[in-house]
Amino acid sequence: ELGWLVEWHCRSPLPPGWRKSKVAAGDVPLYASDETHEVVESPPSFLFYAKLGEAVIRLRLDPAQASPALGSAKEVLDNARAQAVAAESRWT
C-alpha cells in the first residue's frame, strides 16, 4: 500500500496556482503558491499522502485499529475532495 501511495504522490500534478522551482541537480526544489505567496519544501499534496500512509501503517501494526484508521483515511479524502472542488471552481 505504501508503494502505491508514493507512486501516486509522484504522479500528482500541482494544484492550480502552484509552481515548482527550477533547481540544480541535487538541490531540493521549492514549491510556491502564486495566490498566497507561500513557499514550501514539499508539494501541497504531500500531507494528504503522508496522512494516508500513517493510517495504513497503523492498520498494519494493529488490525484492531481498523475503525480509527478508516476514519482517518476518510477525513483525509474528504478534505482532499473539498480542496479539489475549490480548485475546480477557480479554473472556470
Side-chain angles (χ1 to χ4, degrees):
E1 296 91 0
L2 291 177
W4 182 85
L5 286 173
V6 169
E7 180 180 343
W8 281 101
H9 167 63
C10 292
R11 291 179 179 215
S12 296
L14 290 173
W18 280 85
R19 57 190 161 77
K20 179 179 176 181
S21 65
K22 294 181 181 180
V23 296
D27 286 349
V28 176
L30 296 175
Y31 300 86
S33 168
D34 293 332
E35 186 177 316
T36 64
H37 306 290
E38 176 183 14
V39 177
V40 294
E41 291 184 355
S42 299
S45 61
F46 177 76
L47 192 54
F48 295 118
Y49 288 100
K51 287 182 179 180
L52 288 173
E54 288 173 11
V56 167
I57 291 169
R58 275 199 313 259
L59 181 59
R60 284 290 187 183
L61 291 175
D62 185 3
Q65 294 296 317
S67 183
L70 181 59
S72 260
K74 184 178 179 337
E75 182 181 324
V76 169
L77 292 174
D78 289 345
N79 190 354
R81 276 191 203 101
Q83 288 193 8
V85 167
E88 184 178 31
S89 72
R90 290 191 304 264
W91 289 343
T92 56

